[in-house]
Amino acid sequence: DIVMTQAPLSSPVTLGQPASISCRSSQSLVHSDGNTYLSWLHQRPGQPPRLLIYKISSRFSGVPDRFSGTGAGTDFTLKISRVEAEDVGVYYCMQATQLGTFGQGTKLEIK
Amino acid sequence: EFQLVESGGGLVQPGGSLRLSCAASGFTFSSYWMHWVRQAPGKGLVWVSRINSDGSITTYADPVKGRFTISRDNAKNTLYLQMNSLRVEDTAVYYCAVSQGGTPGNWGQGALVTVSS
């Protein structure tokens, strides 16, 4: 089974400043079809998750361009260029290359 | 606009069964793969199962394999999750989601399943 490890697990950030979350997989996420099914989701308290990024770096419909994803193979990063108040919550990476696995989640909070 | 509404959750005793439904609207349901994902109270997200657009391919996470069955009725625009031999550790909010780019994209609001004696 593929294990997804996120860091940090908690991230206090200042409004307007950048933030970054790392996600590492226990094995390569490159699928036999050539795609890498690594995505990032955001969940606010009491709400269902919302897809931000899929296939490493593609922004989902309606997602602001301050969110970006990078990486390859086993190491991936979500970056928020300038954190806004609505960005608080928990961020999850997820792999769908082999079945599906989520990371533990990273809680983003405002300093 | 993608709309998903889960139903069928509730309280069930250990060893019991429950069937969740996910009613889809606002998109061509029969064209999309679908996922079930769960979240235990205060915990993280756990992927449960996935089904392809015509229902011929299904995959499951190890903890539910052999106990849960995913299915769909494209004529009724509805996704199902039949859950048998339920355990206390299956207690969670269960979300259905439309697969977008291979990952759960648009999500429903979830249905709470509580397994307790």
PDB file of all heavy atoms in Angstrom, chain A residues 18-47:
ATOM      1  N   PRO A  18       3.208  33.874   2.157  1.00  0.00           N
ATOM      2  CA  PRO A  18       3.096  32.579   1.483  1.00  0.00           C
ATOM      3  C   PRO A  18       3.076  31.422   2.478  1.00  0.00           C
ATOM      4  O   PRO A  18       3.484  31.574   3.636  1.00  0.00           O
ATOM      5  CB  PRO A  18       4.361  32.529   0.626  1.00  0.00           C
ATOM      6  CG  PRO A  18       5.324  33.412   1.332  1.00  0.00           C
ATOM      7  CD  PRO A  18       4.518  34.498   1.978  1.00  0.00           C
ATOM      8  N   ALA A  19       2.569  30.286   1.991  1.00  0.00           N
ATOM      9  CA  ALA A  19       2.569  29.056   2.781  1.00  0.00           C
ATOM     10  C   ALA A  19       2.877  27.892   1.855  1.00  0.00           C
ATOM     11  O   ALA A  19       2.576  27.935   0.656  1.00  0.00           O
ATOM     12  CB  ALA A  19       1.217  28.848   3.464  1.00  0.00           C
ATOM     13  N   SER A  20       3.457  26.858   2.440  1.00  0.00           N
ATOM     14  CA  SER A  20       3.873  25.712   1.648  1.00  0.00           C
ATOM     15  C   SER A  20       3.653  24.441   2.447  1.00  0.00           C
ATOM     16  O   SER A  20       3.917  24.402   3.652  1.00  0.00           O
ATOM     17  CB  SER A  20       5.349  25.867   1.277  1.00  0.00           C
ATOM     18  OG  SER A  20       5.806  24.773   0.538  1.00  0.00           O
ATOM     19  N   ILE A  21       3.142  23.400   1.792  1.00  0.00           N
ATOM     20  CA  ILE A  21       2.916  22.096   2.418  1.00  0.00           C
ATOM     21  C   ILE A  21       3.569  21.030   1.552  1.00  0.00           C
ATOM     22  O   ILE A  21       3.424  21.039   0.322  1.00  0.00           O
ATOM     23  CB  ILE A  21       1.409  21.804   2.562  1.00  0.00           C
ATOM     24  CG1 ILE A  21       0.732  22.876   3.409  1.00  0.00           C
ATOM     25  CG2 ILE A  21       1.192  20.415   3.179  1.00  0.00           C
ATOM     26  CD1 ILE A  21      -0.787  22.790   3.401  1.00  0.00           C
ATOM     27  N   SER A  22       4.260  20.121   2.211  1.00  0.00           N
ATOM     28  CA  SER A  22       4.958  19.052   1.508  1.00  0.00           C
ATOM     29  C   SER A  22       4.205  17.731   1.639  1.00  0.00           C
ATOM     30  O   SER A  22       3.559  17.466   2.658  1.00  0.00           O
ATOM     31  CB  SER A  22       6.361  18.905   2.095  1.00  0.00           C
ATOM     32  OG  SER A  22       6.987  17.748   1.621  1.00  0.00           O
ATOM     33  N   CYS A  23       4.303  16.912   0.632  1.00  0.00           N
ATOM     34  CA  CYS A  23       3.685  15.581   0.646  1.00  0.00           C
ATOM     35  C   CYS A  23       4.647  14.609  -0.022  1.00  0.00           C
ATOM     36  O   CYS A  23       5.133  14.869  -1.134  1.00  0.00           O
ATOM     37  CB  CYS A  23       2.360  15.631  -0.103  1.00  0.00           C
ATOM     38  SG  CYS A  23       1.486  14.053  -0.231  1.00  0.00           S
ATOM     39  N   ARG A  24       4.915  13.516   0.674  1.00  0.00           N
ATOM     40  CA  ARG A  24       5.832  12.514   0.142  1.00  0.00           C
ATOM     41  C   ARG A  24       5.132  11.161   0.105  1.00  0.00           C
ATOM     42  O   ARG A  24       4.463  10.771   1.067  1.00  0.00           O
ATOM     43  CB  ARG A  24       7.087  12.442   1.011  1.00  0.00           C
ATOM     44  CG  ARG A  24       8.114  11.433   0.557  1.00  0.00           C
ATOM     45  CD  ARG A  24       9.438  11.660   1.268  1.00  0.00           C
ATOM     46  NE  ARG A  24      10.062  12.915   0.824  1.00  0.00           N
ATOM     47  CZ  ARG A  24      11.212  13.382   1.318  1.00  0.00           C
ATOM     48  NH1 ARG A  24      11.846  12.715   2.269  1.00  0.00           N
ATOM     49  NH2 ARG A  24      11.722  14.496   0.872  1.00  0.00           N
ATOM     50  N   SER A  25       5.297  10.445  -0.984  1.00  0.00           N
ATOM     51  CA  SER A  25       4.698   9.109  -1.110  1.00  0.00           C
ATOM     52  C   SER A  25       5.761   8.040  -0.914  1.00  0.00           C
ATOM     53  O   SER A  25       6.944   8.262  -1.189  1.00  0.00           O
ATOM     54  CB  SER A  25       4.031   8.947  -2.473  1.00  0.00           C
ATOM     55  OG  SER A  25       4.962   9.147  -3.520  1.00  0.00           O
ATOM     56  N   SER A  26       5.325   6.863  -0.449  1.00  0.00           N
ATOM     57  CA  SER A  26       6.255   5.771  -0.156  1.00  0.00           C
ATOM     58  C   SER A  26       6.766   5.086  -1.413  1.00  0.00           C
ATOM     59  O   SER A  26       7.720   4.317  -1.362  1.00  0.00           O
ATOM     60  CB  SER A  26       5.587   4.752   0.766  1.00  0.00           C
ATOM     61  OG  SER A  26       4.427   4.226   0.156  1.00  0.00           O
ATOM     62  N   GLN A  27       6.111   5.353  -2.552  1.00  0.00           N
ATOM     63  CA  GLN A  27       6.601   4.865  -3.840  1.00  0.00           C
ATOM     64  C   GLN A  27       6.157   5.800  -4.938  1.00  0.00           C
ATOM     65  O   GLN A  27       5.286   6.654  -4.718  1.00  0.00           O
ATOM     66  CB  GLN A  27       6.133   3.428  -4.108  1.00  0.00           C
ATOM     67  CG  GLN A  27       4.641   3.214  -4.051  1.00  0.00           C
ATOM     68  CD  GLN A  27       4.284   1.738  -4.147  1.00  0.00           C
ATOM     69  OE1 GLN A  27       4.144   1.188  -5.245  1.00  0.00           O
ATOM     70  NE2 GLN A  27       4.134   1.088  -3.015  1.00  0.00           N
ATOM     71  N   SER A  28       6.758   5.669  -6.089  1.00  0.00           N
ATOM     72  CA  SER A  28       6.458   6.563  -7.201  1.00  0.00           C
ATOM     73  C   SER A  28       4.972   6.558  -7.541  1.00  0.00           C
ATOM     74  O   SER A  28       4.324   5.503  -7.526  1.00  0.00           O
ATOM     75  CB  SER A  28       7.255   6.164  -8.441  1.00  0.00           C
ATOM     76  OG  SER A  28       6.852   6.941  -9.561  1.00  0.00           O
ATOM     77  N   LEU A  29       4.447   7.748  -7.834  1.00  0.00           N
ATOM     78  CA  LEU A  29       3.029   7.869  -8.179  1.00  0.00           C
ATOM     79  C   LEU A  29       2.802   7.949  -9.692  1.00  0.00           C
ATOM     80  O   LEU A  29       1.694   8.273 -10.125  1.00  0.00           O
ATOM     81  CB  LEU A  29       2.440   9.106  -7.498  1.00  0.00           C
ATOM     82  CG  LEU A  29       2.444   9.087  -5.973  1.00  0.00           C
ATOM     83  CD1 LEU A  29       1.721  10.315  -5.418  1.00  0.00           C
ATOM     84  CD2 LEU A  29       1.825   7.813  -5.426  1.00  0.00           C
ATOM     85  N   VAL A  30       3.825   7.655 -10.460  1.00  0.00           N
ATOM     86  CA  VAL A  30       3.648   7.653 -11.915  1.00  0.00           C
ATOM     87  C   VAL A  30       2.857   6.415 -12.310  1.00  0.00           C
ATOM     88  O   VAL A  30       3.277   5.284 -12.064  1.00  0.00           O
ATOM     89  CB  VAL A  30       5.001   7.687 -12.651  1.00  0.00           C
ATOM     90  CG1 VAL A  30       4.773   7.673 -14.162  1.00  0.00           C
ATOM     91  CG2 VAL A  30       5.800   8.911 -12.241  1.00  0.00           C
ATOM     92  N   HIS A  31       1.715   6.603 -12.924  1.00  0.00           N
ATOM     93  CA  HIS A  31       0.849   5.508 -13.355  1.00  0.00           C
ATOM     94  C   HIS A  31       1.362   4.926 -14.668  1.00  0.00           C
ATOM     95  O   HIS A  31       2.098   5.590 -15.407  1.00  0.00           O
ATOM     96  CB  HIS A  31      -0.571   6.050 -13.530  1.00  0.00           C
ATOM     97  CG  HIS A  31      -1.637   5.011 -13.656  1.00  0.00           C
ATOM     98  ND1 HIS A  31      -1.942   4.427 -14.872  1.00  0.00           N
ATOM     99  CD2 HIS A  31      -2.458   4.445 -12.745  1.00  0.00           C
ATOM    100  CE1 HIS A  31      -2.924   3.565 -14.698  1.00  0.00           C
ATOM    101  NE2 HIS A  31      -3.248   3.541 -13.408  1.00  0.00           N
ATOM    102  N   SER A  32       0.935   3.726 -14.970  1.00  0.00           N
ATOM    103  CA  SER A  32       1.334   3.093 -16.234  1.00  0.00           C
ATOM    104  C   SER A  32       0.822   3.861 -17.451  1.00  0.00           C
ATOM    105  O   SER A  32       1.356   3.708 -18.558  1.00  0.00           O
ATOM    106  CB  SER A  32       0.830   1.646 -16.286  1.00  0.00           C
ATOM    107  OG  SER A  32      -0.573   1.613 -16.100  1.00  0.00           O
ATOM    108  N   ASP A  33      -0.191   4.722 -17.248  1.00  0.00           N
ATOM    109  CA  ASP A  33      -0.695   5.524 -18.373  1.00  0.00           C
ATOM    110  C   ASP A  33       0.098   6.819 -18.546  1.00  0.00           C
ATOM    111  O   ASP A  33      -0.229   7.655 -19.386  1.00  0.00           O
ATOM    112  CB  ASP A  33      -2.190   5.829 -18.210  1.00  0.00           C
ATOM    113  CG  ASP A  33      -2.520   6.710 -17.010  1.00  0.00           C
ATOM    114  OD1 ASP A  33      -1.593   7.237 -16.371  1.00  0.00           O
ATOM    115  OD2 ASP A  33      -3.718   6.879 -16.711  1.00  0.00           O
ATOM    116  N   GLY A  34       1.125   7.015 -17.701  1.00  0.00           N
ATOM    117  CA  GLY A  34       1.988   8.181 -17.815  1.00  0.00           C
ATOM    118  C   GLY A  34       1.587   9.349 -16.933  1.00  0.00           C
ATOM    119  O   GLY A  34       2.364  10.289 -16.758  1.00  0.00           O
ATOM    120  N   ASN A  35       0.370   9.302 -16.384  1.00  0.00           N
ATOM    121  CA  ASN A  35      -0.079  10.373 -15.505  1.00  0.00           C
ATOM    122  C   ASN A  35       0.368  10.120 -14.066  1.00  0.00           C
ATOM    123  O   ASN A  35       0.624   8.982 -13.669  1.00  0.00           O
ATOM    124  CB  ASN A  35      -1.605  10.478 -15.525  1.00  0.00           C
ATOM    125  CG  ASN A  35      -2.132  11.018 -16.825  1.00  0.00           C
ATOM    126  OD1 ASN A  35      -1.721  12.083 -17.289  1.00  0.00           O
ATOM    127  ND2 ASN A  35      -3.043  10.281 -17.455  1.00  0.00           N
ATOM    128  N   THR A  36       0.446  11.196 -13.298  1.00  0.00           N
ATOM    129  CA  THR A  36       0.732  11.114 -11.867  1.00  0.00           C
ATOM    130  C   THR A  36      -0.495  11.646 -11.147  1.00  0.00           C
ATOM    131  O   THR A  36      -0.798  12.834 -11.187  1.00  0.00           O
ATOM    132  CB  THR A  36       1.972  11.940 -11.506  1.00  0.00           C
ATOM    133  OG1 THR A  36       3.098  11.423 -12.216  1.00  0.00           O
ATOM    134  CG2 THR A  36       2.226  11.872 -10.003  1.00  0.00           C
ATOM    135  N   TYR A  37      -1.190  10.719 -10.462  1.00  0.00           N
ATOM    136  CA  TYR A  37      -2.470  11.078  -9.856  1.00  0.00           C
ATOM    137  C   TYR A  37      -2.271  11.543  -8.414  1.00  0.00           C
ATOM    138  O   TYR A  37      -2.632  10.857  -7.452  1.00  0.00           O
ATOM    139  CB  TYR A  37      -3.440   9.903  -9.945  1.00  0.00           C
ATOM    140  CG  TYR A  37      -3.823   9.584 -11.372  1.00  0.00           C
ATOM    141  CD1 TYR A  37      -3.233   8.508 -12.049  1.00  0.00           C
ATOM    142  CD2 TYR A  37      -4.739  10.380 -12.051  1.00  0.00           C
ATOM    143  CE1 TYR A  37      -3.573   8.233 -13.367  1.00  0.00           C
ATOM    144  CE2 TYR A  37      -5.075  10.114 -13.371  1.00  0.00           C
ATOM    145  CZ  TYR A  37      -4.481   9.041 -14.024  1.00  0.00           C
ATOM    146  OH  TYR A  37      -4.815   8.777 -15.330  1.00  0.00           O
ATOM    147  N   LEU A  38      -1.703  12.723  -8.299  1.00  0.00           N
ATOM    148  CA  LEU A  38      -1.496  13.356  -7.006  1.00  0.00           C
ATOM    149  C   LEU A  38      -2.335  14.624  -6.969  1.00  0.00           C
ATOM    150  O   LEU A  38      -2.228  15.469  -7.864  1.00  0.00           O
ATOM    151  CB  LEU A  38      -0.014  13.693  -6.792  1.00  0.00           C
ATOM    152  CG  LEU A  38       0.455  14.272  -5.450  1.00  0.00           C
ATOM    153  CD1 LEU A  38       0.118  15.758  -5.305  1.00  0.00           C
ATOM    154  CD2 LEU A  38      -0.110  13.499  -4.268  1.00  0.00           C
ATOM    155  N   SER A  39      -3.167  14.739  -5.948  1.00  0.00           N
ATOM    156  CA  SER A  39      -4.058  15.886  -5.846  1.00  0.00           C
ATOM    157  C   SER A  39      -3.972  16.512  -4.464  1.00  0.00           C
ATOM    158  O   SER A  39      -3.424  15.922  -3.528  1.00  0.00           O
ATOM    159  CB  SER A  39      -5.501  15.463  -6.139  1.00  0.00           C
ATOM    160  OG  SER A  39      -5.916  14.444  -5.263  1.00  0.00           O
ATOM    161  N   TRP A  40      -4.509  17.716  -4.358  1.00  0.00           N
ATOM    162  CA  TRP A  40      -4.582  18.461  -3.097  1.00  0.00           C
ATOM    163  C   TRP A  40      -6.024  18.895  -2.861  1.00  0.00           C
ATOM    164  O   TRP A  40      -6.691  19.364  -3.787  1.00  0.00           O
ATOM    165  CB  TRP A  40      -3.684  19.688  -3.146  1.00  0.00           C
ATOM    166  CG  TRP A  40      -2.221  19.387  -3.170  1.00  0.00           C
ATOM    167  CD1 TRP A  40      -1.416  19.277  -4.272  1.00  0.00           C
ATOM    168  CD2 TRP A  40      -1.370  19.160  -2.040  1.00  0.00           C
ATOM    169  NE1 TRP A  40      -0.125  18.989  -3.900  1.00  0.00           N
ATOM    170  CE2 TRP A  40      -0.079  18.916  -2.519  1.00  0.00           C
ATOM    171  CE3 TRP A  40      -1.581  19.149  -0.652  1.00  0.00           C
ATOM    172  CZ2 TRP A  40       1.008  18.657  -1.680  1.00  0.00           C
ATOM    173  CZ3 TRP A  40      -0.509  18.892   0.183  1.00  0.00           C
ATOM    174  CH2 TRP A  40       0.769  18.647  -0.331  1.00  0.00           C
ATOM    175  N   LEU A  41      -6.481  18.718  -1.621  1.00  0.00           N
ATOM    176  CA  LEU A  41      -7.843  19.100  -1.248  1.00  0.00           C
ATOM    177  C   LEU A  41      -7.807  19.960   0.005  1.00  0.00           C
ATOM    178  O   LEU A  41      -6.876  19.863   0.810  1.00  0.00           O
ATOM    179  CB  LEU A  41      -8.699  17.857  -0.998  1.00  0.00           C
ATOM    180  CG  LEU A  41      -8.843  16.897  -2.192  1.00  0.00           C
ATOM    181  CD1 LEU A  41      -7.827  15.757  -2.107  1.00  0.00           C
ATOM    182  CD2 LEU A  41     -10.258  16.341  -2.272  1.00  0.00           C
ATOM    183  N   HIS A  42      -8.849  20.771   0.176  1.00  0.00           N
ATOM    184  CA  HIS A  42      -8.970  21.671   1.316  1.00  0.00           C
ATOM    185  C   HIS A  42     -10.303  21.409   2.000  1.00  0.00           C
ATOM    186  O   HIS A  42     -11.337  21.269   1.311  1.00  0.00           O
ATOM    187  CB  HIS A  42      -8.894  23.122   0.830  1.00  0.00           C
ATOM    188  CG  HIS A  42      -9.127  24.140   1.893  1.00  0.00           C
ATOM    189  ND1 HIS A  42      -9.893  25.278   1.691  1.00  0.00           N
ATOM    190  CD2 HIS A  42      -8.686  24.192   3.175  1.00  0.00           C
ATOM    191  CE1 HIS A  42      -9.906  25.998   2.802  1.00  0.00           C
ATOM    192  NE2 HIS A  42      -9.182  25.359   3.706  1.00  0.00           N
ATOM    193  N   GLN A  43     -10.289  21.340   3.317  1.00  0.00           N
ATOM    194  CA  GLN A  43     -11.525  21.126   4.056  1.00  0.00           C
ATOM    195  C   GLN A  43     -11.657  22.137   5.179  1.00  0.00           C
ATOM    196  O   GLN A  43     -10.770  22.230   6.033  1.00  0.00           O
ATOM    197  CB  GLN A  43     -11.597  19.710   4.621  1.00  0.00           C
ATOM    198  CG  GLN A  43     -12.924  19.383   5.287  1.00  0.00           C
ATOM    199  CD  GLN A  43     -13.019  17.947   5.764  1.00  0.00           C
ATOM    200  OE1 GLN A  43     -12.029  17.353   6.184  1.00  0.00           O
ATOM    201  NE2 GLN A  43     -14.221  17.370   5.708  1.00  0.00           N
ATOM    202  N   ARG A  44     -12.747  22.872   5.174  1.00  0.00           N
ATOM    203  CA  ARG A  44     -13.056  23.783   6.277  1.00  0.00           C
ATOM    204  C   ARG A  44     -13.905  23.013   7.295  1.00  0.00           C
ATOM    205  O   ARG A  44     -14.607  22.070   6.927  1.00  0.00           O
ATOM    206  CB  ARG A  44     -13.804  25.006   5.783  1.00  0.00           C
ATOM    207  CG  ARG A  44     -13.027  25.857   4.777  1.00  0.00           C
ATOM    208  CD  ARG A  44     -13.751  27.154   4.484  1.00  0.00           C
ATOM    209  NE  ARG A  44     -13.044  27.940   3.474  1.00  0.00           N
ATOM    210  CZ  ARG A  44     -13.403  27.993   2.200  1.00  0.00           C
ATOM    211  NH1 ARG A  44     -14.471  27.317   1.776  1.00  0.00           N
ATOM    212  NH2 ARG A  44     -12.722  28.721   1.333  1.00  0.00           N
ATOM    213  N   PRO A  45     -13.890  23.423   8.561  1.00  0.00           N
ATOM    214  CA  PRO A  45     -14.662  22.702   9.595  1.00  0.00           C
ATOM    215  C   PRO A  45     -16.137  22.595   9.216  1.00  0.00           C
ATOM    216  O   PRO A  45     -16.763  23.583   8.811  1.00  0.00           O
ATOM    217  CB  PRO A  45     -14.462  23.588  10.827  1.00  0.00           C
ATOM    218  CG  PRO A  45     -13.152  24.271  10.595  1.00  0.00           C
ATOM    219  CD  PRO A  45     -13.086  24.516   9.121  1.00  0.00           C
ATOM    220  N   GLY A  46     -16.680  21.398   9.353  1.00  0.00           N
ATOM    221  CA  GLY A  46     -18.094  21.179   9.111  1.00  0.00           C
ATOM    222  C   GLY A  46     -18.495  21.115   7.653  1.00  0.00           C
ATOM    223  O   GLY A  46     -19.689  21.026   7.337  1.00  0.00           O
ATOM    224  N   GLN A  47     -17.524  21.168   6.750  1.00  0.00           N
ATOM    225  CA  GLN A  47     -17.823  21.141   5.324  1.00  0.00           C
ATOM    226  C   GLN A  47     -17.141  19.948   4.653  1.00  0.00           C
ATOM    227  O   GLN A  47     -16.156  19.418   5.158  1.00  0.00           O
ATOM    228  CB  GLN A  47     -17.345  22.438   4.664  1.00  0.00           C
ATOM    229  CG  GLN A  47     -18.079  23.675   5.118  1.00  0.00           C
ATOM    230  CD  GLN A  47     -17.731  24.885   4.273  1.00  0.00           C
ATOM    231  OE1 GLN A  47     -17.154  24.784   3.203  1.00  0.00           O
ATOM    232  NE2 GLN A  47     -18.127  26.060   4.752  1.00  0.00           N
TER     233      GLN A  47
END
